[in-house]
Structure formats: C-alpha cells, structure tokens
Amino acid sequence: MMLALVDGVQAGCPDGFTASTNNCYVALTTEIGDLSLSRTRCQALGAGIDLAIIPSAEDQTAAVTAIGDFAYPLWIGLIDSTADNGYHDWIDSTPRTYGNWWSGQPDNTLHRCAAIQAASAFKWTDEPCSYALFALCSTANVLELPNCVDDNPCQNGVCSESADALTCNCSGTGYEGDDCGTDINECSSNNGGCDHTCSNSNGSYTCSCNSGFSLNADGHACDDIDECATNNGGCAHSCNNSAASYACSCNSGYSLNADNHSCDDINECATRNGGCGHKCKNYKGSYTCVCDSGYSLNNHTCADIDECATSNGGCDHTCRNYKGGYTCSCNSGFRLNADGYMCDNIDECSESLDNCDANAACGDTTGSFTCACNPGFVGDGVTCLVATTIMEDAYPMAPKDNRIRFKVDFGVVVSVTAASFSVATSAGMSTNNSVLTPISSRSVHVEVVVTGPLVSGTVTLSLAQGATAPRNTAASAVATYAAPTPLIFSPVLGNAATPGMDYEFTIHVQFETPVVGFTAGMLHIDSASVVVDWMNMTVGPNADHHSFHFRLGAPAGTISFSVNDTYGTAVTPAHAASNTFTIDYIGRCANTECSGDDGSPRVCGHFSGDGGYSDSTCYDFLRTASGDIMYPIVCPPGTSVCQEVDVPAELPLAEGWCTSCAGESSGPCQHVSGGGEGTCYAFLDAATKMCPPGTITCNECDRLAPCDHGSCVDLVNDYTCMCEPSWMGKDCDNHDDCAVHSCASTGACVDGTGDNDGSYTCKCDPGYEGEFCATEINECDAAPCQNGGVCTDLLADYSCDCSGTGFTGTDCDVDINECATNNGGCDQTCTNTDGSYSCSCDAGYTLNADSHACDDIDECATNNGGCEGTCTNNEGSYRCSCSSGFEWSTNSHTCEDTDECATNNGGCDQTCTNNEGSYSCSCGAGFTINGDSHA
C-alpha cells in the first residue's frame, strides 16, 4: 500500500494504480476479451477491483492518466441493463450521475456495454458486449488512519498521534527529521567548538588535536607540544620548534637526510656541476670550481684565455683562438711545421698538388706555383692545347685543276686523320672527301677537290678544338676558288650574238689550262634551221686552244655554240660551262641556184623571166671601195637575193665596231669625251684604220696591240691573245720556262713572272733542298735534340731518343716530372729538378740511406728533447708534458708551478699555502684540520 496526497488528503491505492480522491485506476493492455472475460481479469487483480467506475470528472482525469498513450479501446464498467438505449448504470449498480459520452452516443440498443479510447478523445462509446477489447479496472480509494503503536514512524524520537497524522519529537536525541532518522552533524556548525578536528558520530561528536598538540581538559582546546625540549628533537644539527610540530635543519653545505634528522654533506657538484663552468671539486660542507687548461676562473664561470692576443700565440702566420685553446694555421701554399707554430712552404709541384695541364711544366714559388705550357702547346698552363695553324698552300702555277691544298702545322706530333677536319663551301659548291698526306711528323697537307657543277666561291678547312690527341687549338683557313671557264669566240665575229655573212668560218674554244679528253662532240650546237654541212676540230700546241672550222648550208637562222660543265666527263681538268656564242646567219644561195662553192659570200643571183636562173654565178652584196657593205643592203644590178637568204634589217657589226653608239650612228670609232661622246663614226682611212680626230678605235687589238707573242682577236669590249708555243698569260708576255726546264721529282717548277720572267725556281717538297730539290735535308745537322737526346734522321723529319735523359718531348726539351708518378717513390716530399728529382723529409724525420724512405727522429733521445718535464716521442715529433702541480706555458715553453690557492683558496676552509708543485691547507688557533685535508 502506498500513501499519497491527493489535494492534500492521504490516499492509498494498490501499486501501479492511478489515484483520484475516491478511486484508483489501472489499464490492462496485454490481453483482450469480451466484457465478461475482461471483468474477470480485473477482479483477479485483488479484492474490491472491478471494471472501472468513473463517477466524476476528477475520476475521468485519473482514468485518462492511467490509460496514458495506449491507443486501443478499453472496457469500462457501464452497462445498459434495461436495453432501452437510454440509460446505462455502473456495473456495481451505482447510479450514474456523470457522463462523458461521444457525441450522439449511446445510439444502439444492441450496444449495451461501454468503452473508452484515445481515438475518441477518451469519450465513452457504446459497444456490443461481445467485442474483444482491453480493460480499464478500478477500485475504491481506502483510507486507514495510522497510530503510534502499529505505525510508529520515529526512529529515535517520541511518537505523538493527532486526528490526521503521526508526529516525532527529536529533542535531545542528536537526530532530526520527520522520523528523527537523520543524524545531526554537530561538527558542521563552528567545527563543534573544537580547536582542531571535530569527529561526528551517530547522535554525538568528539574533538581531537593535530600531531604536535594535546587535548585540553575542556575537551575542545588544543595545546602545542615543544619536541625540541627533549633531546634536541633528535636533530643532528639544529631543532626548530613550531606550532604543532618541529623541524631539523642542517648547516650550510649539508642537506637533511630522508629521516628528517640526520645531516648529509651536499655534493654541490652533483647538481648542475655546482654551477661551475668546467670542473667542480666537492668537499665536506662546500665545494670549489676549477677551470680547464686555457681558461681562467671568474666566480663560477670559466672565461676563455685568448692566447692569440699575446705575441700572436707564437704562430708564424695565423693564430685562431677557440674556447680552451688555440691553434696555428698557415696561409695558402704553406704547411704547419711539426712544432705547431712555424709554416713551411709547400712544393705543390713535387707533391703533385698542382692543377697544371699534363702538357705543362709546374714551377714552385713561395706559397704558390706556376704552370707554363710545354713547347708546341699554347694556353694558360692549366689548359694546354697543341698549337695549330692552317693556311692555303696552293699548287705551283695554280693549275686550275679544281684541287685546293691546305698545309696544317702542329706544335707537336699528334694523331689526326682526314675525318678530323671539316670542309665548308660557298652556296652551290660541292667537294669530295678531303685527302690527308703527311709531309713531316708535325705537318700534313689536306687536299680538297671541288666537284661539279663547278661554281666559283670559297672553301674553308677547319679543325675543331680537341679533334686531335693530344688536344689541339681550333684553326681554320679560307681559300678562294675560281672555277676554270672556257671562252668561245671568233677572231672575225667576236664573242657576242653577231650577224653572220660567211658560210665558212672558224670559232675557237679557249680553256684556262691545257686539257685532255676534250672531243668535237663536246661542242654543243643548237639551231632550229641552220644546217652544218661539215665541221672539223684542230687542237693548238698548248692543248688549251681548240679551233672548229664550219661550213653551213643554205637556210638562214640562228646557230649557237657552247660547252657544258665538263665535270664527270673525260676532260681533265674539268671546266665550268662556257659562254654561249651565237651567230645570226643570213644564209646563202643553195648549190642548186649557183655553182662555185669557194666560201665567199654567195647571196645574190641572176634570174630568168620564168623564175629560174639565167646563169650559175652567184654574187656578194654591193660594197664600198673600202670593202664595206653598202647600206641599205642591195644586190648587184641584174641580180636579186636568193630565196634562202634573210637580209638583215641593220648593218651588221664588223670586226672592231663599237657597241655603245648613240642614235643611228655606227662605226669603228667612238668619242671618249665632250658633247659628242657616244656617237660612232667610220674610219677616215679604212686602209690605215685611222679614226676621226677626237675619237678612238673600239678595236682593242688595233688600239692596244696587247699580244707580245701571239695573235690578237678582238672581242666585244675585250680581246684575247692566241699565244705562241711556250708563252702564257693574257698578253702572251710570260714565257713558260718550266716547259724547257725541270726540277727533281721531289720538287715542283715555279715559273717566274713579271720582273722575274725568263727564270724559274724549284719549290721543294718537305725534307728536300737544293736548286733542283734533289738533296735530302739531314734534319739532325741542326742538332734539334736537347739534353743529351740521340737524333735519328728521317725522311723530311727526325726523331729524338730521350731515354735516360730525364726529359721527354719531340726535342727532349720537356722535363719529366718524376714526382708526378707515385711521388717519385719518396716517402714524403719529392722535389723535381731539370732532368732529375730528389726526396726530402718533413721536420722530425731523417732521410734513409735508400734516399727515398723517411725515418722518425727520436728528439727525446738528445737532451730530453729540451723538455723540463717529461719528453714523449711521437711519429715525426715529440711532446713535453709537466708533472702534477705544474702546467705547460705556451709563452715560455717551460713547466711553471700551478698556484692552486689562487682558485677558490684551493678548497681550504681557512689558510691555503702554495708550494712548488703542490699546496696545503692549515687552520687557525682553536681549529684542527679535518681528515679531508681541507676542512
């Protein structure tokens, strides 16, 4: 049974029920059944429990609370016993005075029972009693009044009864609360009056004191206990009483033991090294700081001593101070001596520490070294390249055979091939692969042949840097190439497009140099109408001149002659394409028109009235008394132009006629100055070819008479000379002396020109000399091998055997640096000299009898090495050290006494006395020295 207050009134309902003032409600939501079964289930819950009776709005509210959020309908105890559908009574026959029906309910006489559900806002609905629903149960709220005998609620106090309740009186019990069941904590108020600790207990409390106090007779106050009053509190040094306690303390330099009574010496050095910069020395009750060598003590810290500030620390060059010491170092090119102070020059050359090129000589200097390239090499000494030059070395007399030759000179013997060179040409030119021919041990010829089509221009031969072994300098040379070009001309007609009056004539092909392999078929003849009756070719005495004699047929027209580029043919040397020589042939009378074929002009004939010929004689055009054709052109009286002849519209240009005539003027004479310049005139006297005053002849052969030993052929604004045998040059003024003189096979004939005409010289091949280049040169005669090298003469060269001289190179002039290989076999320093070398040892060593090894000198064996203290020999050096109580002086290099008393009084409590090599502590009157010899 629970007790509840409903509107301030006690109520009692079974557990799980919801109470109103008069009733208790519970919803059965686990099983369904008809009204009868559901009522049975309610009654099974306990006596007085039945289907719910809801007699008031308050009860309706309690019923809804009991249902909660259950959504399904539940039976309530409301039944229509009379089936009149007008009145329902509670199942316990209690008259119904309160209703909460759903609108319009009840409405069916067959629905005699009632239910309540959340879906109808907890309104009542009439339902058939046979429906299977859940159930809402209720019972009466039974109130029972308690009494102090049966229901005494007081745990510790006195129970009192009243009309509606029981009360408890807790006075004097030490408890409080409605049932006097809550202990009163007296300690919560003013600590229960206790000085120190208040301890609460059920119904009471007690006072107690902290350690070091005792409880006063009043049971509340606490009195302090003075522990130091008894046996000094057990403290080894000092006892300090305090309220409620005491504490032991220790003298300076000691710390309280874990037992809080004993005193232990403090090892100040164990904590952060006693604050000392370097070393900390502990003793009973105190400690002292000691600095490492090279430092001075300042309180606790150690200040570095700058040894370099005094006399540069004794260093020869550079003194570098560092914390606790210093070191000497040397400038570049020097090495620190074994004494650690002096600086010795480094021979970079003998120790192979230089960066000189393999083809350079190293020279030692104080603190440094120099590099100089060996003979035949150029460069800065660090990089040395073979000196290389290239120049054009033209063939004698410039034969115009399309070969260009270069000479390449090297400073020393190198490994080089034709493929090492590159050839560049002007646009349009082509060359064959170059050919390399050695001419001495350090010189070669490189020949380049220009190939067709032959084009004039330049040829550049280049050798890139590093293309040889040893590596060479870059070099190049440029040669100018003029393609040899034949000239086609006619002594009568010139070399331009010319009206041809004769049908038998001769043209010439002039090559720039004698050729072989040229045939008549190589003369290219081009004409659409002109017919060549016959042609023959004759070759001049120098083979550079070829003449072609022609006879043309009757038809007129243009005929051209030319020679194509002969590269790739049998013609040697090849020539470029010639000019094109053109004749405007006027034609002649056919053989059927007239007889007599003597090569003279045959352009006019007699004709009969029927169109035939009255006779077989043909005639020339009418000419003047001087032989010039009359203009306009006409045939002799009684004759007319043959049908094959094409009469030219203008007077043809004859030999020597001018080409720059003004207006309609023409002739062989032309003004060269004044207002009449450009006007051409006829000769005053044709027989003597005399020109009018103020004019000159345009025939260079007549005006200049240039050919000394040959015949002159006038060309348009030019001339050519047909030279006699053994004569050369444009004016046939250079006698070819090489044609009648010769040199040895080891030389080439060079014809003299200009003032030297009439003479010749022989240009000797390398290695030969003499007038005719027949004498081999003995290159050893010049004694090229130096330093005792043995010379052997070679063809156009020599070689030097440098064995055993200590030198190398082409001329045994390059010293062999024996030190560069395995340090010359020296243990330490190798010094190269001209043709030899020597070994030497560093300070602290002596040279062995084998002149290569270095043996250590035991300095301590002589006068103890000069040391005051202990001399310790090391490899290559020795070291002086001092006994305990002394320290090494870097200034005097002696052992000086250490004044231990100068630092923290030597750790002595009172008096410190320094001695030679030691010190001692002593005490004043009334004191005795401790076993540690300091306290």
Side-chain angles (χ1 to χ4, degrees):
M1 177 71 71
M2 73 173 182
L3 293 176
L5 291 177
V6 180
D7 290 334
V9 179
Q10 284 187 347
C13 291
D15 291 339
F17 281 71
T18 299
S20 67
T21 301
N22 299 311
N23 296 288
C24 302
Y25 298 91
V26 67
L28 302 182
T29 59
T30 58
E31 295 179 291
I32 58 175
D34 59 13
L35 181 73
S36 175
L37 178 58
S38 296
R39 184 178 187 184
T40 300
R41 287 174 178 162
C42 286
Q43 292 173 341
L45 294 178
I49 301 174
D50 206 338
L51 283 174
I53 296 172
I54 307 173
S56 68
E58 179 194 353
D59 292 318
Q60 173 71 18
T61 299
V64 170
T65 300
I67 296 171
D69 58 359
F70 188 71
Y72 296 98
L74 303 96
W75 290 118
I76 60 176
L78 194 61
I79 300 175
D80 181 5
S81 58
T82 61
D84 59 3
N85 194 31
Y87 191 81
H88 285 69
D89 292 321
W90 294 115
I91 201 166
D92 62 352
S93 300
T94 302
R96 180 177 59 82
T97 59
Y98 167 78
N100 189 34
W101 291 101
W102 182 258
S103 177
Q105 296 282 327
D107 61 355
N108 195 323
T109 56
L110 297 178
H111 297 176
R112 299 177 57 192
C113 296
I116 186 172
Q117 63 178 317
S120 57
F122 296 102
K123 298 291 186 178
W124 305 341
T125 59
D126 57 350
E127 304 292 343
C129 297
S130 61
Y131 276 12
L133 303 178
F134 295 95
L136 180 65
C137 308
S138 70
T139 186
N141 186 353
V142 180
L143 179 62
E144 297 180 1
L145 294 178
N147 60 78
C148 288
V149 176
D150 298 323
D151 304 305
N152 183 5
C154 304
Q155 297 185 41
N156 295 295
V158 177
C159 178
S160 299
E161 297 178 356
S162 63
D164 57 358
L166 301 177
T167 60
C168 296
N169 183 357
C170 305
S171 300
T173 65
Y175 292 88
E176 62 184 354
D178 291 342
D179 59 355
C180 298
T182 303
D183 174 60
I184 297 174
N185 185 359
E186 295 85 356
C187 297
S188 64
S189 177
N190 196 29
N191 198 37
C194 301
D195 263 4
H196 287 177
T197 304
C198 178
S199 301
N200 184 62
S201 58
N202 286 335
S204 184
Y205 71 101
T206 58
C207 294
S208 61
C209 297
N210 298 336
S211 176
F213 291 86
S214 60
L215 190 63
N216 192 280
D218 63 6
H220 287 78
C222 291
D223 301 326
D224 175 57
I225 299 172
D226 184 3
E227 296 84 352
C228 295
T230 303
N231 194 31
N232 196 37
C235 298
H237 285 182
S238 300
C239 179
N240 303 301
N241 185 61
S242 59
S245 184
Y246 71 102
C248 297
S249 60
C250 299
N251 299 335
S252 175
Y254 293 86
S255 62
L256 193 63
N257 190 280
D259 63 7
N260 293 322
H261 290 76
S262 301
C263 289
D264 301 326
D265 173 57
I266 296 175
N267 184 359
E268 293 86 353
C269 299
T271 303
R272 296 178 57 242
N273 199 39
C276 298
H278 287 175
K279 299 175 183 176
C280 180
K281 291 185 177 179
N282 184 67
Y283 55 87
K284 288 187 180 296
S286 187
Y287 70 102
T288 185
C289 294
V290 180
C291 294
D292 295 338
S293 175
Y295 290 85
S296 61
L297 187 64
N298 181 9
N299 195 8
H300 284 72
T301 60
C302 293
D304 173 57
I305 299 172
D306 186 0
E307 295 86 352
C308 297
T310 304
S311 300
N312 197 39
C315 298
D316 192 10
H317 285 180
T318 303
C319 178
R320 184 180 67 83
N321 184 65
Y322 58 85
K323 291 186 176 182
Y326 72 104
T327 182
C328 296
S329 60
C330 298
N331 299 336
S332 176
F334 293 85
R335 179 183 292 113
L336 193 64
N337 190 279
D339 64 5
Y341 297 92
M342 301 307 294
C343 291
D344 301 327
N345 175 57
I346 297 173
D347 186 349
E348 293 85 356
C349 300
S350 64
E351 297 185 28
S352 300
L353 300 176
D354 63 276
N355 63 341
C356 297
D357 191 272
N359 295 302
C362 178
D364 184 58
T365 62
T366 302
S368 188
F369 62 95
T370 61
C371 298
C373 293
N374 295 335
F377 292 85
V378 294
D380 58 5
V382 176
T383 300
C384 294
L385 302 174
V386 178
T388 306
T389 59
I390 301 177
M391 64 179 67
E392 183 183 6
D393 188 18
Y395 290 98
M397 285 299 294
K400 293 186 179 292
D401 59 359
N402 306 311
R403 293 183 299 160
I404 299 175
R405 186 172 67 177
F406 297 89
K407 184 182 180 186
V408 186
D409 293 312
F410 298 99
V412 298
V413 177
V414 300
S415 175
V416 65
T417 65
S420 304
F421 295 85
S422 62
V423 177
T425 64
S426 301
M429 295 182 66
S430 300
T431 61
N432 279 337
N433 292 334
S434 55
V435 177
L436 183 145
T437 303
I439 55 178
S440 75
S441 62
R442 288 176 283 181
S443 299
V444 297
H445 271 148
V446 178
E447 180 184 278
V448 179
V449 178
V450 179
T451 61
L454 301 177
V455 178
S456 298
T458 59
V459 176
T460 302
L461 181 72
S462 301
L463 184 64
Q465 178 176 308
T468 65
R471 289 166 53 83
N472 62 288
T473 59
S476 65
V478 180
T480 300
Y481 167 75
T485 305
L487 174 67
I488 302 178
F489 66 95
S490 168
V492 176
L493 302 177
N495 64 347
T498 308
M501 305 295 290
D502 298 327
Y503 64 92
E504 284 191 10
F505 59 90
T506 299
I507 65 171
H508 304 273
V509 179
Q510 180 71 48
F511 291 92
E512 291 196 26
T513 185
V515 298
V516 295
F518 185 76
T519 64
M522 293 181 181
L523 179 68
H524 181 68
I525 303 173
D526 186 18
S527 178
S529 58
V530 179
V531 177
V532 177
D533 283 351
W534 55 262
M535 174 191 75
N536 62 52
M537 181 186 77
T538 58
V539 181
N542 292 333
D544 60 348
H545 185 89
H546 294 65
S547 300
F548 291 85
H549 187 69
F550 289 91
R551 170 175 284 183
L552 303 182
T558 299
I559 183 169
S560 298
F561 304 92
S562 61
V563 176
N564 293 336
D565 190 318
T566 60
Y567 182 81
T569 69
V571 177
T572 304
H575 277 57
S578 72
N579 63 309
T580 299
F581 183 82
T582 303
I583 297 175
D584 290 331
Y585 177 54
I586 67 171
R588 67 179 177 88
C589 298
N591 292 335
T592 58
E593 296 175 337
C594 53
S595 61
D597 197 356
D598 57 3
S600 61
R602 302 170 69 245
V603 292
C604 301
H606 284 288
F607 293 94
S608 61
D610 58 2
Y613 297 93
S614 58
D615 62 36
S616 61
T617 302
C618 290
Y619 302 89
D620 190 6
F621 293 124
L622 290 179
R623 295 178 181 265
T624 64
S626 62
D628 294 332
I629 296 176
M630 296 179 65
Y631 189 81
I633 298 174
V634 294
C635 287
T639 66
S640 60
V641 178
C642 293
Q643 63 180 358
E644 290 88 353
V645 177
D646 183 10
V647 178
E650 297 182 359
L651 189 67
L653 291 176
E655 176 186 0
W657 281 51
C658 303
T659 59
S660 301
C661 302
E664 297 297 328
S665 66
S666 62
C669 301
Q670 185 177 17
H671 278 288
V672 295
S673 62
E677 183 177 356
T679 302
C680 296
Y681 301 88
F683 289 124
L684 285 180
D685 182 3
T688 61
K689 296 184 179 181
M690 180 184 294
C691 286
T695 66
I696 60 172
T697 178
C698 291
N699 187 322
E700 286 81 8
C701 291
D702 291 341
R703 186 174 75 249
L704 304 174
C707 304
D708 290 351
H709 299 278
S711 58
C712 182
V713 177
D714 182 52
L715 306 176
V716 177
N717 296 325
D718 199 5
Y719 67 93
T720 187
C721 294
M722 311 292 290
C723 297
E724 298 171 1
S726 300
W727 289 92
M728 301 181 300
K730 181 173 178 63
D731 296 334
C732 300
D733 57 353
N734 179 28
H735 187 265
D736 185 5
D737 298 284
C738 289
V740 294
H741 300 282
S742 62
C743 302
S745 61
T746 52
C749 182
V750 179
D751 182 60
T753 60
D755 293 340
N756 295 319
D757 189 25
S759 66
Y760 72 98
T761 58
C762 292
K763 182 179 180 181
C764 300
D765 293 343
Y768 290 87
E769 62 183 355
E771 181 181 1
F772 302 105
C773 302
T775 303
E776 183 193 357
I777 299 172
N778 185 346
E779 286 81 5
C780 290
D781 290 344
C785 302
Q786 303 177 35
N787 301 303
V790 178
C791 182
T792 300
D793 182 48
L794 304 174
L795 180 61
D797 204 355
Y798 65 94
S799 67
C800 294
D801 183 1
C802 306
S803 303
T805 65
F807 290 85
T808 186
T810 303
D811 298 330
C812 301
D813 55 350
V814 179
D815 174 59
I816 297 174
N817 185 357
E818 295 85 356
C819 298
T821 303
N822 196 29
N823 198 38
C826 300
D827 259 7
Q828 295 181 1
T829 301
C830 178
T831 302
N832 185 60
T833 59
D834 280 346
S836 186
Y837 72 103
S838 63
C839 298
S840 59
C841 299
D842 298 339
Y845 293 86
T846 184
L847 190 63
N848 190 282
D850 65 4
S851 299
H852 288 78
C854 289
D855 300 326
D856 175 59
I857 298 173
D858 185 0
E859 294 86 353
C860 297
T862 303
N863 196 29
N864 196 40
C867 300
E868 281 193 355
T870 302
C871 179
T872 303
N873 184 62
N874 301 321
E875 186 70 21
S877 182
Y878 69 100
R879 180 174 59 86
C880 295
S881 58
C882 301
S883 303
S884 176
F886 293 87
E887 58 185 11
W888 181 254
S889 171
T890 57
N891 294 326
S892 63
H893 296 85
T894 59
C895 291
E896 296 180 353
D897 174 59
T898 302
D899 185 0
E900 295 85 354
C901 296
T903 303
N904 198 30
N905 199 37
C908 299
D909 263 4
Q910 296 185 3
T911 302
C912 178
T913 303
N914 185 60
N915 304 314
E916 186 74 14
S918 183
Y919 73 102
S920 62
C921 297
S922 59
C923 301
F927 292 88
T928 181
I929 196 73
N930 191 282
D932 62 5
S933 301
H934 288 79

